[in-house]
PDB file of all heavy atoms in Angstrom:
ATOM      1  N   PRO A  44     -14.723  -2.236   4.498  1.00 89.00           N
ATOM      2  CA  PRO A  44     -15.137  -2.757   5.807  1.00 89.00           C
ATOM      3  C   PRO A  44     -14.243  -3.882   6.338  1.00 89.00           C
ATOM      4  O   PRO A  44     -14.095  -4.023   7.563  1.00 89.00           O
ATOM      5  CB  PRO A  44     -16.559  -3.267   5.531  1.00 89.00           C
ATOM      6  CG  PRO A  44     -16.594  -3.547   4.019  1.00 89.00           C
ATOM      7  CD  PRO A  44     -15.713  -2.523   3.427  1.00 89.00           C
ATOM      8  N   ASP A  45     -13.690  -4.662   5.416  1.00 91.00           N
ATOM      9  CA  ASP A  45     -12.809  -5.784   5.837  1.00 91.00           C
ATOM     10  C   ASP A  45     -11.365  -5.315   5.698  1.00 91.00           C
ATOM     11  O   ASP A  45     -10.895  -5.076   4.587  1.00 91.00           O
ATOM     12  CB  ASP A  45     -13.054  -7.002   4.977  1.00 91.00           C
ATOM     13  CG  ASP A  45     -12.461  -8.282   5.581  1.00 91.00           C
ATOM     14  OD1 ASP A  45     -11.272  -8.206   6.053  1.00 91.00           O
ATOM     15  OD2 ASP A  45     -13.095  -9.323   5.634  1.00 91.00           O
ATOM     16  N   PHE A  46     -10.718  -5.242   6.861  1.00 92.00           N
ATOM     17  CA  PHE A  46      -9.297  -4.728   6.834  1.00 92.00           C
ATOM     18  C   PHE A  46      -8.382  -5.603   6.084  1.00 92.00           C
ATOM     19  O   PHE A  46      -7.568  -5.144   5.268  1.00 92.00           O
ATOM     20  CB  PHE A  46      -8.780  -4.567   8.312  1.00 92.00           C
ATOM     21  CG  PHE A  46      -7.499  -3.831   8.437  1.00 92.00           C
ATOM     22  CD1 PHE A  46      -7.456  -2.470   8.334  1.00 92.00           C
ATOM     23  CD2 PHE A  46      -6.344  -4.563   8.764  1.00 92.00           C
ATOM     24  CE1 PHE A  46      -6.266  -1.826   8.474  1.00 92.00           C
ATOM     25  CE2 PHE A  46      -5.126  -3.934   8.872  1.00 92.00           C
ATOM     26  CZ  PHE A  46      -5.097  -2.515   8.751  1.00 92.00           C
ATOM     27  N   GLN A  47      -8.482  -6.922   6.244  1.00 91.00           N
ATOM     28  CA  GLN A  47      -7.558  -7.888   5.523  1.00 91.00           C
ATOM     29  C   GLN A  47      -7.836  -7.860   4.062  1.00 91.00           C
ATOM     30  O   GLN A  47      -6.863  -7.804   3.282  1.00 91.00           O
ATOM     31  CB  GLN A  47      -7.735  -9.248   6.152  1.00 91.00           C
ATOM     32  CG  GLN A  47      -6.805 -10.303   5.612  1.00 91.00           C
ATOM     33  CD  GLN A  47      -7.400 -11.098   4.421  1.00 91.00           C
ATOM     34  OE1 GLN A  47      -8.609 -11.155   4.265  1.00 91.00           O
ATOM     35  NE2 GLN A  47      -6.502 -11.679   3.638  1.00 91.00           N
ATOM     36  N   LYS A  48      -9.078  -7.913   3.632  1.00 91.00           N
ATOM     37  CA  LYS A  48      -9.348  -7.935   2.205  1.00 91.00           C
ATOM     38  C   LYS A  48      -9.061  -6.647   1.542  1.00 91.00           C
ATOM     39  O   LYS A  48      -8.665  -6.562   0.368  1.00 91.00           O
ATOM     40  CB  LYS A  48     -10.854  -8.286   1.989  1.00 91.00           C
ATOM     41  CG  LYS A  48     -11.207  -9.728   2.364  1.00 91.00           C
ATOM     42  CD  LYS A  48     -12.675 -10.019   2.102  1.00 91.00           C
ATOM     43  CE  LYS A  48     -13.013 -11.463   2.413  1.00 91.00           C
ATOM     44  NZ  LYS A  48     -14.470 -11.732   2.154  1.00 91.00           N
ATOM     45  N   GLY A  49      -9.147  -5.554   2.256  1.00 92.00           N
ATOM     46  CA  GLY A  49      -8.836  -4.236   1.666  1.00 92.00           C
ATOM     47  C   GLY A  49      -7.337  -4.063   1.424  1.00 92.00           C
ATOM     48  O   GLY A  49      -6.948  -3.286   0.524  1.00 92.00           O
ATOM     49  N   LEU A  50      -6.447  -4.779   2.179  1.00 93.00           N
ATOM     50  CA  LEU A  50      -5.026  -4.635   2.011  1.00 93.00           C
ATOM     51  C   LEU A  50      -4.421  -5.838   1.290  1.00 93.00           C
ATOM     52  O   LEU A  50      -3.215  -5.871   1.051  1.00 93.00           O
ATOM     53  CB  LEU A  50      -4.367  -4.496   3.388  1.00 93.00           C
ATOM     54  CG  LEU A  50      -4.765  -3.290   4.215  1.00 93.00           C
ATOM     55  CD1 LEU A  50      -4.018  -3.288   5.547  1.00 93.00           C
ATOM     56  CD2 LEU A  50      -4.483  -1.967   3.489  1.00 93.00           C
ATOM     57  N   LYS A  51      -5.219  -6.868   0.989  1.00 91.00           N
ATOM     58  CA  LYS A  51      -4.749  -8.141   0.488  1.00 91.00           C
ATOM     59  C   LYS A  51      -4.006  -7.968  -0.848  1.00 91.00           C
ATOM     60  O   LYS A  51      -3.000  -8.665  -1.076  1.00 91.00           O
ATOM     61  CB  LYS A  51      -5.911  -9.085   0.363  1.00 91.00           C
ATOM     62  CG  LYS A  51      -5.556 -10.441  -0.247  1.00 91.00           C
ATOM     63  CD  LYS A  51      -6.778 -11.324  -0.331  1.00 91.00           C
ATOM     64  CE  LYS A  51      -6.469 -12.663  -0.983  1.00 91.00           C
ATOM     65  NZ  LYS A  51      -7.629 -13.501  -1.105  1.00 91.00           N
ATOM     66  N   ASP A  52      -4.469  -7.119  -1.750  1.00 92.00           N
ATOM     67  CA  ASP A  52      -3.888  -6.981  -3.043  1.00 92.00           C
ATOM     68  C   ASP A  52      -2.613  -6.175  -2.999  1.00 92.00           C
ATOM     69  O   ASP A  52      -1.821  -6.140  -3.985  1.00 92.00           O
ATOM     70  CB  ASP A  52      -4.868  -6.330  -4.060  1.00 92.00           C
ATOM     71  CG  ASP A  52      -5.402  -4.983  -3.569  1.00 92.00           C
ATOM     72  OD1 ASP A  52      -4.967  -4.505  -2.487  1.00 92.00           O
ATOM     73  OD2 ASP A  52      -6.169  -4.400  -4.323  1.00 92.00           O
ATOM     74  N   GLY A  53      -2.286  -5.467  -1.900  1.00 92.00           N
ATOM     75  CA  GLY A  53      -1.071  -4.737  -1.734  1.00 92.00           C
ATOM     76  C   GLY A  53      -1.022  -3.384  -2.381  1.00 92.00           C
ATOM     77  O   GLY A  53      -0.002  -2.664  -2.283  1.00 92.00           O
ATOM     78  N   VAL A  54      -2.119  -2.936  -3.055  1.00 93.00           N
ATOM     79  CA  VAL A  54      -2.080  -1.746  -3.775  1.00 93.00           C
ATOM     80  C   VAL A  54      -2.035  -0.526  -2.795  1.00 93.00           C
ATOM     81  O   VAL A  54      -1.197   0.394  -2.931  1.00 93.00           O
ATOM     82  CB  VAL A  54      -3.334  -1.576  -4.655  1.00 93.00           C
ATOM     83  CG1 VAL A  54      -3.384  -0.191  -5.344  1.00 93.00           C
ATOM     84  CG2 VAL A  54      -3.316  -2.666  -5.754  1.00 93.00           C
ATOM     85  N   ILE A  55      -2.910  -0.545  -1.794  1.00 94.00           N
ATOM     86  CA  ILE A  55      -2.946   0.595  -0.830  1.00 94.00           C
ATOM     87  C   ILE A  55      -1.618   0.603  -0.023  1.00 94.00           C
ATOM     88  O   ILE A  55      -1.098   1.681   0.269  1.00 94.00           O
ATOM     89  CB  ILE A  55      -4.160   0.407   0.092  1.00 94.00           C
ATOM     90  CG1 ILE A  55      -5.419   0.514  -0.757  1.00 94.00           C
ATOM     91  CG2 ILE A  55      -4.146   1.456   1.219  1.00 94.00           C
ATOM     92  CD1 ILE A  55      -6.739   0.377   0.115  1.00 94.00           C
ATOM     93  N   LEU A  56      -1.082  -0.548   0.294  1.00 94.00           N
ATOM     94  CA  LEU A  56       0.167  -0.593   1.076  1.00 94.00           C
ATOM     95  C   LEU A  56       1.301  -0.034   0.237  1.00 94.00           C
ATOM     96  O   LEU A  56       2.181   0.709   0.760  1.00 94.00           O
ATOM     97  CB  LEU A  56       0.518  -2.019   1.441  1.00 94.00           C
ATOM     98  CG  LEU A  56      -0.492  -2.626   2.505  1.00 94.00           C
ATOM     99  CD1 LEU A  56      -0.065  -4.115   2.810  1.00 94.00           C
ATOM    100  CD2 LEU A  56      -0.504  -1.826   3.776  1.00 94.00           C
ATOM    101  N   CYS A  57       1.337  -0.294  -1.068  1.00 94.00           N
ATOM    102  CA  CYS A  57       2.435   0.278  -1.899  1.00 94.00           C
ATOM    103  C   CYS A  57       2.215   1.751  -2.035  1.00 94.00           C
ATOM    104  O   CYS A  57       3.197   2.578  -2.059  1.00 94.00           O
ATOM    105  CB  CYS A  57       2.413  -0.363  -3.277  1.00 94.00           C
ATOM    106  SG  CYS A  57       2.947  -2.120  -3.282  1.00 94.00           S
ATOM    107  N   GLU A  58       0.947   2.209  -2.123  1.00 93.00           N
ATOM    108  CA  GLU A  58       0.711   3.692  -2.166  1.00 93.00           C
ATOM    109  C   GLU A  58       1.139   4.337  -0.862  1.00 93.00           C
ATOM    110  O   GLU A  58       1.707   5.466  -0.832  1.00 93.00           O
ATOM    111  CB  GLU A  58      -0.751   3.965  -2.390  1.00 93.00           C
ATOM    112  CG  GLU A  58      -1.288   3.519  -3.774  1.00 93.00           C
ATOM    113  CD  GLU A  58      -0.807   4.449  -4.872  1.00 93.00           C
ATOM    114  OE1 GLU A  58      -0.268   5.517  -4.547  1.00 93.00           O
ATOM    115  OE2 GLU A  58      -1.018   4.095  -6.027  1.00 93.00           O
ATOM    116  N   LEU A  59       0.907   3.651   0.245  1.00 93.00           N
ATOM    117  CA  LEU A  59       1.356   4.140   1.568  1.00 93.00           C
ATOM    118  C   LEU A  59       2.843   4.270   1.600  1.00 93.00           C
ATOM    119  O   LEU A  59       3.379   5.344   2.121  1.00 93.00           O
ATOM    120  CB  LEU A  59       0.850   3.198   2.696  1.00 93.00           C
ATOM    121  CG  LEU A  59       1.386   3.474   4.082  1.00 93.00           C
ATOM    122  CD1 LEU A  59       0.865   4.825   4.609  1.00 93.00           C
ATOM    123  CD2 LEU A  59       0.967   2.326   5.028  1.00 93.00           C
ATOM    124  N   MET A  60       3.606   3.278   1.106  1.00 93.00           N
ATOM    125  CA  MET A  60       5.066   3.342   1.135  1.00 93.00           C
ATOM    126  C   MET A  60       5.596   4.450   0.276  1.00 93.00           C
ATOM    127  O   MET A  60       6.552   5.120   0.648  1.00 93.00           O
ATOM    128  CB  MET A  60       5.618   1.972   0.663  1.00 93.00           C
ATOM    129  CG  MET A  60       6.928   1.670   1.239  1.00 93.00           C
ATOM    130  SD  MET A  60       7.015   1.428   2.974  1.00 93.00           S
ATOM    131  CE  MET A  60       8.217   2.653   3.434  1.00 93.00           C
ATOM    132  N   ASN A  61       4.908   4.715  -0.858  1.00 93.00           N
ATOM    133  CA  ASN A  61       5.392   5.783  -1.722  1.00 93.00           C
ATOM    134  C   ASN A  61       5.114   7.145  -1.092  1.00 93.00           C
ATOM    135  O   ASN A  61       5.844   8.105  -1.422  1.00 93.00           O
ATOM    136  CB  ASN A  61       4.711   5.707  -3.101  1.00 93.00           C
ATOM    137  CG  ASN A  61       5.320   4.571  -3.962  1.00 93.00           C
ATOM    138  OD1 ASN A  61       6.494   4.169  -3.786  1.00 93.00           O
ATOM    139  ND2 ASN A  61       4.524   4.069  -4.906  1.00 93.00           N
ATOM    140  N   LYS A  62       4.088   7.227  -0.253  1.00 92.00           N
ATOM    141  CA  LYS A  62       3.863   8.545   0.483  1.00 92.00           C
ATOM    142  C   LYS A  62       4.907   8.727   1.532  1.00 92.00           C
ATOM    143  O   LYS A  62       5.349   9.831   1.700  1.00 92.00           O
ATOM    144  CB  LYS A  62       2.445   8.479   1.123  1.00 92.00           C
ATOM    145  CG  LYS A  62       1.338   8.486   0.108  1.00 92.00           C
ATOM    146  CD  LYS A  62       1.165   9.867  -0.571  1.00 92.00           C
ATOM    147  CE  LYS A  62      -0.011   9.893  -1.455  1.00 92.00           C
ATOM    148  NZ  LYS A  62      -0.199  11.199  -2.155  1.00 92.00           N
ATOM    149  N   LEU A  63       5.342   7.665   2.206  1.00 91.00           N
ATOM    150  CA  LEU A  63       6.329   7.782   3.246  1.00 91.00           C
ATOM    151  C   LEU A  63       7.685   8.049   2.690  1.00 91.00           C
ATOM    152  O   LEU A  63       8.474   8.806   3.213  1.00 91.00           O
ATOM    153  CB  LEU A  63       6.322   6.544   4.154  1.00 91.00           C
ATOM    154  CG  LEU A  63       5.044   6.227   4.890  1.00 91.00           C
ATOM    155  CD1 LEU A  63       5.174   4.912   5.709  1.00 91.00           C
ATOM    156  CD2 LEU A  63       4.643   7.403   5.786  1.00 91.00           C
ATOM    157  N   GLN A  64       7.996   7.333   1.603  1.00 91.00           N
ATOM    158  CA  GLN A  64       9.313   7.456   0.918  1.00 91.00           C
ATOM    159  C   GLN A  64       9.058   7.355  -0.592  1.00 91.00           C
ATOM    160  O   GLN A  64       8.827   6.299  -1.139  1.00 91.00           O
ATOM    161  CB  GLN A  64      10.262   6.338   1.362  1.00 91.00           C
ATOM    162  CG  GLN A  64      11.668   6.485   0.879  1.00 91.00           C
ATOM    163  CD  GLN A  64      12.645   5.456   1.416  1.00 91.00           C
ATOM    164  OE1 GLN A  64      12.204   4.501   2.066  1.00 91.00           O
ATOM    165  NE2 GLN A  64      13.923   5.614   1.168  1.00 91.00           N
ATOM    166  N   PRO A  65       9.031   8.532  -1.274  1.00 91.00           N
ATOM    167  CA  PRO A  65       8.723   8.545  -2.696  1.00 91.00           C
ATOM    168  C   PRO A  65       9.515   7.590  -3.505  1.00 91.00           C
ATOM    169  O   PRO A  65      10.781   7.422  -3.271  1.00 91.00           O
ATOM    170  CB  PRO A  65       8.947  10.006  -3.082  1.00 91.00           C
ATOM    171  CG  PRO A  65       8.808  10.763  -1.817  1.00 91.00           C
ATOM    172  CD  PRO A  65       9.357   9.870  -0.709  1.00 91.00           C
ATOM    173  N   ASN A  66       8.889   6.955  -4.483  1.00 90.00           N
ATOM    174  CA  ASN A  66       9.487   6.043  -5.458  1.00 90.00           C
ATOM    175  C   ASN A  66      10.151   4.829  -4.750  1.00 90.00           C
ATOM    176  O   ASN A  66      11.068   4.197  -5.342  1.00 90.00           O
ATOM    177  CB  ASN A  66      10.530   6.772  -6.287  1.00 90.00           C
ATOM    178  CG  ASN A  66       9.949   7.906  -7.136  1.00 90.00           C
ATOM    179  OD1 ASN A  66       8.830   7.753  -7.642  1.00 90.00           O
ATOM    180  ND2 ASN A  66      10.717   8.980  -7.265  1.00 90.00           N
ATOM    181  N   SER A  67       9.727   4.480  -3.573  1.00 91.00           N
ATOM    182  CA  SER A  67      10.216   3.250  -2.972  1.00 91.00           C
ATOM    183  C   SER A  67       9.659   1.993  -3.645  1.00 91.00           C
ATOM    184  O   SER A  67      10.290   0.948  -3.635  1.00 91.00           O
ATOM    185  CB  SER A  67       9.906   3.257  -1.470  1.00 91.00           C
ATOM    186  OG  SER A  67       8.537   3.361  -1.258  1.00 91.00           O
ATOM    187  N   VAL A  68       8.417   2.099  -4.122  1.00 93.00           N
ATOM    188  CA  VAL A  68       7.823   0.991  -4.938  1.00 93.00           C
ATOM    189  C   VAL A  68       7.540   1.552  -6.344  1.00 93.00           C
ATOM    190  O   VAL A  68       6.614   2.302  -6.538  1.00 93.00           O
ATOM    191  CB  VAL A  68       6.494   0.499  -4.305  1.00 93.00           C
ATOM    192  CG1 VAL A  68       5.921  -0.663  -5.107  1.00 93.00           C
ATOM    193  CG2 VAL A  68       6.773  -0.003  -2.903  1.00 93.00           C
ATOM    194  N   ARG A  69       8.365   1.169  -7.269  1.00 90.00           N
ATOM    195  CA  ARG A  69       8.303   1.786  -8.607  1.00 90.00           C
ATOM    196  C   ARG A  69       7.181   1.230  -9.418  1.00 90.00           C
ATOM    197  O   ARG A  69       6.614   1.919 -10.278  1.00 90.00           O
ATOM    198  CB  ARG A  69       9.626   1.553  -9.363  1.00 90.00           C
ATOM    199  CG  ARG A  69      10.824   2.222  -8.623  1.00 90.00           C
ATOM    200  CD  ARG A  69      12.137   1.986  -9.418  1.00 90.00           C
ATOM    201  NE  ARG A  69      13.248   2.633  -8.751  1.00 90.00           N
ATOM    202  CZ  ARG A  69      13.556   3.956  -8.925  1.00 90.00           C
ATOM    203  NH1 ARG A  69      12.784   4.731  -9.748  1.00 90.00           N
ATOM    204  NH2 ARG A  69      14.603   4.479  -8.248  1.00 90.00           N
TER     205      ARG A  69
END
């Protein structure tokens, strides 16, 4: 429900980056 708290730990964002460009965040 909270957009900032859901992205705060960076896990989902790193998963997003690996979907856009595989192995960009190892």
Side-chain angles (χ1 to χ4, degrees):
D45 194 316
F46 189 75
Q47 184 267 337
K48 291 182 179 180
L50 301 178
K51 178 181 178 181
D52 58 1
V54 175
I55 297 180
L56 293 178
C57 291
E58 293 286 351
L59 173 65
M60 205 66 237
N61 284 335
K62 292 290 185 180
L63 299 179
Q64 188 174 8
N66 297 324
S67 58
V68 180
R69 297 183 179 276

